[in-house]
Amino acid sequence: MKSKNITSADVARLAGVSRSTVSRCFKADSRISDETRKRVIEIADQVGYQVNKIARSMITRESDLVGVVSSGLHDPFAVVLIDELITTLQKMGLHPILLDASNEAQLEISIKKLAQYQVKSIIITSGSPSSAIGAQFVSLNIPVVLLNRAGQLDQANLVNCDNKTGSTLAAKIFREAGHTNLAFINSKSSTYSGRKRGEYFEQALSLQIESGDVRLRQIQTDVAGYEGGYEAALKLLKNTDHPTGFYCATDNVAFGFMDAARYEMGKKIPEDFSIIGFDDLPLSARASYNLTTIRQCPKDIARATADCIQSIGILTKPKRTTIPVKLIPRGTVSRVKNS
Amino acid sequence: MKSKNITSADVARLAGVSRSTVSRCFKADSRISDETRKRVIEIADQVGYQVNKIARSMITRESDLVGVVSSGLHDPFAVVLIDELITTLQKMGLHPILLDASNEAQLEISIKKLAQYQVKSIIITSGSPSSAIGAQFVSLNIPVVLLNRAGQLDQANLVNCDNKTGSTLAAKIFREAGHTNLAFINSKSSTYSGRKRGEYFEQALSLQIESGDVRLRQIQTDVAGYEGGYEAALKLLKNTDHPTGFYCATDNVAFGFMDAARYEMGKKIPEDFSIIGFDDLPLSARASYNLTTIRQCPKDIARATADCIQSIGILTKPKRTTIPVKLIPRGTVSRVKNS
DNA sequence: CTGAAAGCGCTAACAC
DNA sequence: GTGTTAGCGCTTTCAG
C-alpha cells in the first residue's frame, strides 16, 4: 500500500539535474534545452513518474477540475448536454466533477467542498436551484458559466439558446397550418428557458391575439417534465373545443402529452391535434414520437461553454453567447381541419 | 483576483491558538476541547475560512475524489445508474469525476491524470472498454470497483446484478406462456452482462432444447442498443415462422425491436409476438412500451458500490456483490396462439 | 539555460 | 489538550 511514489526528486537524481529542471520539463513554456527535456521525459517515462497535480495545484493555485452542477440526470436534455460537456471538457484536459443539485441542502455542502478543490470554473446547468449558488462562486473568484439560465449574475458567463427564434418559428408553423386555437404547456416551477419560450411564443402571436384571430392559453402544470405533459393532456383534451396546436416547453413535456393523448384518450396525432416540442432529443426522432420540434444542439452549447472557460483569465468581462436553434419538421403538425 | 486566501494560520492568529489546533478542529476524531473547537469554528466561519483540500490531500495522500468511467451517457441504463451513483457518492461526501471512455485513447490520458489527483477509488461501469484500464489502477494501488463487468481482475471489487436469476425468470415466463420458438437478441460487441444473460437463458432452457421441445436462436446484431434491436426485428420478423418469444439483452434493445416491429412491419405486441427486456428503464413503464422486463435496481448497485468504497482500507480482500433482480410483468408477454 | 532556496497550506509526530 | 517542528511534492523567484 505504501509503495512510495516516484517524485520529481527521483527523476532529477536519475537524470542528473535539479528538481526545478524536471519541473520545467513538464510545463509548456519554459526556457529549457530540447535535449535536456527529451532526456528527462524519457527517464520519467521509464520510472513511471507523473507530476503530482495536487502538489502543483497548491502552488499554482489552480486545477484541471471543473464543477458541473445539474439537478440530476432526470431531465433528458440535461443528459445529452452533460454528456457533451463531459467529452468536450475531457478533450480540453479538464475533469468534470458532477454535483447533483436536486437537494438544495446537500448542494450547499458540496459546493463549499468544490471551492476547496480550487476548481478552475463551475458550470451551472438549467434547472439547478437558486442562482445564489452562482453568486457564491463569483464571490470566491471562481468563474461561473450559466447554461440556459437567467442572467441575474452580472459577473457570470452566459450561454443561452435562442428561445426567441425558436418560439417565433413554432408560432409561424402553427399559423401557416391554420391553427388559431393554441396553448403553451409548461410547468409551474419552470426553468428560465421554459418561461422565456412561453413569453416569446405569446409575443410572436401578439398581433393575432389582439385582433382576436388567435387564442393562446398559457398552461401551467403542477409537475414538471413528462408527467406535466401527461397531466396537461388529460385536462385539456377533455373538452371538444380544445386547442388544436400545442407548443411544449420541452420535448419531454410533449412526450407526456402525446402518451396521455394516445393511450388514455385514444387520440391520433397529428389528426386530432398538432404539437411542437423544444430540444430535439434522440427520442423525438424515433417513429414512436416523430415529434416536430425546435432543436438546440448540445454540441454547440458545450463548445460555447468551452470557449468561456478558455477565455478565463484572458477576458476580463464575462461572455454572453446565444446558441442558434433550428426547426426540425417531423410528423406532429398538420393543417387544421376546416370545421 | 489575488484576494489572498484565508489560511489556517489566519484563523489560528485570530483565535489565539496554533495552526495544529485549527487543523484538529476540522477533523472528526481529535483530542481537542469542545470549547476550543467551538470558538475556532466560529471564527473560521466569520472570516470565511475553509480547509484547503488540496493541501490536505498532499499530506494525507488521499482525497474525496472518485473517478467514474463510463462510455458516455448514450446507454439509458448508464444514465440511471450514474445518476444514482452521483447522489450516493455525494451523500458520502465524495465527489465523482466523470470520465468518458468511448474514445479509448482519450481515456488513457484522462486516466493518468486521475491518478495524479489521488482519487480515492475508481468506478468502472459496464460498457467501458478494456479491463486493462482497471489493471492500471490496481497497479497504482487505487481501489477499483467494477460494475456489471467481467471479473478478470482479482484485486477489483465486483458488483454484478443477478443475470442468472433474471434469465431463468425470463425463460420461465416464456415457457409458461407456451412459447417454444425463442430468440435472444444481443449485439456482437456485447457487454459482459449481455453475454451472461444469453448464456443463462440458454442454460435455463437446455433441457427443453435438447429434447427438441424448444428452439432458441442466439441473435447477434451488428450495432448495439436501440439500433441493434431495430435491425434484429427487421431481419427476424420477415418470415412467417419467426420466433414468438424474444428476450433482449437490455430494455433499450427491446425498444428498438418493438419500434421496428410496430412502425416498419405493422406488427402488434403482444398479439404477434412476446418480448422481455432487462433493466427496467423509466421508459419501459410508459404506455408506449409497457415492457415486461427484469429489473435491476440502480439504487442497489449504487449502495453496493458505496459499501465497497467504504470498506477500502478496512477490508484487505475485494468485495463481490450480487444484486438481486425482479421480474416486472407488464404488457408484452401473452400466451402463444395455438396454430 | 539551469540550480539553490523558499515556500504553497496543511497535517503528523513528538513533546509538554 | 495544545504547541512545536518538520515536511508532503511541487513551482518559482533569483542568481549565475
Side-chain angles (χ1 to χ4, degrees):
Chain A
M1 264 296 172
K2 300 197 84 185
S3 77
K4 193 138 176 42
N5 267 317
I6 320 120
T7 74
S8 67
D10 297 324
V11 179
R13 195 169 359 89
L14 258 40
V17 294
S18 73
R19 268 155 60 234
S20 333
T21 302
V22 175
S23 167
R24 285 193 262 258
C25 289
F26 287 92
K27 314 194 311 158
D29 58 332
S30 287
R31 47 275 147 70
I32 204 157
S33 76
D34 286 356
E35 200 192 340
T36 317
R37 165 170 277 144
K38 206 183 141 197
R39 203 179 75 247
V40 172
I41 301 254
E42 203 167 305
I43 292 180
D45 274 351
Q46 267 170 39
V47 297
Y49 167 76
Q50 291 176 200
V51 274
N52 183 328
K53 292 260 176 154
I54 303 271
R56 176 184 280 181
S57 282
M58 208 166 83
I59 176 127
T60 61
R61 292 162 156 293
E62 63 167 37
S63 70
D64 297 344
L65 267 20
V66 173
V68 175
V69 358
S70 78
S71 43
L73 262 26
H74 307 287
D75 175 55
F77 186 73
V79 172
V80 290
L81 177 57
I82 288 174
D83 185 32
E84 211 56 67
L85 238 27
I86 290 172
T87 54
T88 306
L89 291 172
Q90 191 162 312
K91 273 187 207 137
M92 297 168 70
L94 300 176
H95 300 290
I97 298 185
L98 250 74
L99 288 197
D100 175 41
S102 23
N103 176 344
E104 188 129 8
Q106 192 55 256
L107 179 71
E108 190 85 10
I109 298 164
S110 296
I111 288 237
K112 278 211 176 128
K113 295 211 177 160
L114 260 197
Q116 300 170 349
Y117 273 109
Q118 315 266 26
V119 291
K120 191 191 200 74
S121 167
I122 172 131
I123 300 166
I124 301 184
T125 69
S126 168
S128 17
S130 82
S131 2
I133 293 159
Q136 271 191 44
F137 280 91
V138 168
S139 75
L140 282 162
N141 271 324
I142 297 177
V144 172
V145 186
L146 258 34
L147 264 36
N148 277 343
R149 266 183 137 279
Q152 304 101 316
L153 270 175
D154 281 349
Q155 302 150 77
N157 293 276
L158 257 38
V159 178
N160 280 302
C161 77
D162 191 348
N163 292 312
K164 181 165 189 178
T165 301
S167 291
T168 309
L169 243 30
K172 185 159 164 268
I173 296 302
F174 279 134
R175 283 210 333 253
E176 285 176 358
H179 292 273
T180 54
N181 192 357
L182 302 172
F184 175 72
I185 322 267
N186 194 13
S187 83
K188 267 201 182 87
S189 57
S190 167
T191 61
Y192 170 76
S193 300
R195 271 198 313 277
K196 283 294 164 196
R197 285 165 202 169
E199 285 168 25
Y200 288 127
F201 191 56
E202 181 150 358
Q203 192 176 307
L205 294 164
S206 54
L207 253 51
Q208 286 80 4
I209 293 173
E210 272 174 44
S211 69
D213 291 337
V214 163
R215 178 174 176 204
L216 169 62
R217 281 177 251 187
Q218 293 274 358
I219 309 297
Q220 305 217 321
T221 61
D222 294 320
V223 287
Y226 181 88
E227 281 73 22
Y230 209 93
E231 169 197 326
L234 259 29
K235 269 192 206 155
L236 286 168
L237 299 177
K238 264 190 320 208
N239 304 320
T240 45
D241 65 334
H242 63 70
T244 60
F246 297 94
Y247 178 40
C248 297
T250 67
D251 280 6
N252 204 31
V253 171
F255 298 156
F257 196 94
M258 291 172 76
D259 280 357
R262 281 175 173 158
Y263 303 106
E264 298 258 3
M265 342 255 312
K267 300 282 184 186
K268 291 226 174 298
I269 309 167
E271 289 79 359
D272 294 328
F273 62 84
S274 295
I275 185 164
I276 299 180
F278 203 113
D279 285 344
D280 193 27
L281 300 174
L283 212 53
S284 308
R286 290 194 191 166
S288 38
Y289 290 114
N290 195 28
L291 177 68
T292 296
T293 189
I294 312 293
R295 171 187 293 166
Q296 60 169 330
C297 179
K299 259 203 174 57
D300 292 344
I301 301 180
R303 201 173 301 126
T305 308
D307 287 345
C308 290
I309 293 178
Q310 249 151 2
S311 64
I312 286 171
I314 303 169
L315 261 57
T316 48
K317 268 195 182 172
K319 288 185 136 187
R320 344 229 107 171
T321 317
T322 301
I323 305 296
V325 298
K326 196 180 160 192
L327 175 77
I328 308 293
R330 292 206 185 90
T332 55
V333 174
S334 67
R335 275 209 71 77
V336 73
K337 288 174 286 193
N338 289 322
S339 52
Chain B
M1 265 294 171
K2 303 197 78 184
S3 77
K4 191 139 179 40
N5 265 316
I6 320 122
T7 73
S8 68
D10 297 324
V11 179
R13 194 168 2 87
L14 258 40
V17 294
S18 73
R19 266 153 63 234
S20 335
T21 303
V22 175
S23 167
R24 286 191 264 257
C25 290
F26 288 92
K27 313 194 312 159
D29 59 332
S30 287
R31 46 274 145 73
I32 204 159
S33 77
D34 286 356
E35 200 192 341
T36 316
R37 166 169 275 144
K38 206 182 139 197
R39 204 178 73 246
V40 172
I41 301 252
E42 203 166 307
I43 291 179
D45 276 350
Q46 266 169 40
V47 296
Y49 167 75
Q50 290 178 201
V51 194
N52 183 329
K53 292 257 176 155
I54 302 270
R56 175 185 282 179
S57 282
M58 208 166 82
I59 175 128
T60 60
R61 294 163 155 290
E62 63 167 40
S63 69
D64 296 345
L65 267 21
V66 173
V68 175
V69 357
S70 77
S71 44
L73 262 26
H74 307 287
D75 175 56
F77 186 72
V79 172
V80 290
L81 177 56
I82 288 174
D83 186 33
E84 210 58 65
L85 238 27
I86 291 173
T87 53
T88 306
L89 290 172
Q90 190 161 314
K91 272 187 207 136
M92 296 168 71
L94 300 175
H95 300 288
I97 297 185
L98 250 76
L99 288 197
D100 175 40
S102 23
N103 175 344
E104 189 129 5
Q106 191 55 253
L107 178 71
E108 191 85 8
I109 300 166
S110 297
I111 287 237
K112 278 207 179 132
K113 295 212 176 160
L114 258 200
Q116 299 171 350
Y117 273 109
Q118 317 264 27
V119 290
K120 192 190 200 76
S121 167
I122 173 129
I123 300 166
I124 300 183
T125 68
S126 168
S128 18
S130 80
S131 1
I133 293 161
Q136 273 192 42
F137 279 92
V138 168
S139 75
L140 282 162
N141 271 325
I142 297 178
V144 171
V145 185
L146 259 33
L147 263 37
N148 278 342
R149 268 183 136 279
Q152 304 100 318
L153 269 175
D154 280 351
Q155 302 150 75
N157 295 276
L158 258 38
V159 178
N160 281 302
C161 78
D162 191 349
N163 292 312
K164 180 164 189 178
T165 302
S167 291
T168 309
L169 243 28
K172 185 160 163 269
I173 296 302
F174 279 133
R175 285 212 331 255
E176 285 177 357
H179 293 271
T180 54
N181 192 357
L182 302 173
F184 176 71
I185 322 266
N186 194 13
S187 84
K188 268 201 182 87
S189 58
S190 167
T191 60
Y192 170 76
S193 300
R195 271 197 314 279
K196 283 293 164 197
R197 285 165 202 169
E199 285 169 25
Y200 288 127
F201 191 56
E202 182 151 359
Q203 192 176 306
L205 295 163
S206 53
L207 254 52
Q208 287 80 5
I209 293 172
E210 271 174 46
S211 69
D213 292 337
V214 162
R215 178 173 176 205
L216 170 61
R217 283 177 250 188
Q218 292 274 358
I219 309 298
Q220 303 217 321
T221 61
D222 295 320
V223 287
Y226 180 87
E227 282 73 22
Y230 209 93
E231 168 197 327
L234 258 30
K235 268 192 207 155
L236 285 168
L237 299 177
K238 263 191 318 211
N239 303 320
T240 45
D241 64 334
H242 63 69
T244 60
F246 297 94
Y247 178 39
C248 298
T250 67
D251 280 5
N252 204 31
V253 170
F255 297 155
F257 196 94
M258 290 173 77
D259 280 357
R262 282 174 172 160
Y263 303 106
E264 299 259 0
M265 341 257 313
K267 300 281 184 189
K268 291 226 173 299
I269 309 166
E271 290 80 358
D272 294 328
F273 62 84
S274 295
I275 185 165
I276 299 180
F278 203 113
D279 283 344
D280 192 28
L281 300 175
L283 212 51
S284 307
R286 290 195 193 166
S288 37
Y289 291 115
N290 196 29
L291 177 68
T292 296
T293 190
I294 312 294
R295 169 185 294 166
Q296 60 168 329
C297 178
K299 260 204 172 58
D300 292 344
I301 301 180
R303 201 173 301 126
T305 308
D307 286 346
C308 290
I309 293 178
Q310 249 152 3
S311 65
I312 286 171
I314 303 170
L315 261 58
T316 48
K317 270 195 182 172
K319 289 186 135 186
R320 341 230 110 171
T321 318
T322 300
I323 305 294
V325 297
K326 196 181 161 190
L327 173 77
I328 308 293
R330 292 206 185 91
T332 55
V333 174
S334 67
R335 276 208 70 76
V336 72
K337 286 173 289 192
N338 289 324
S339 52

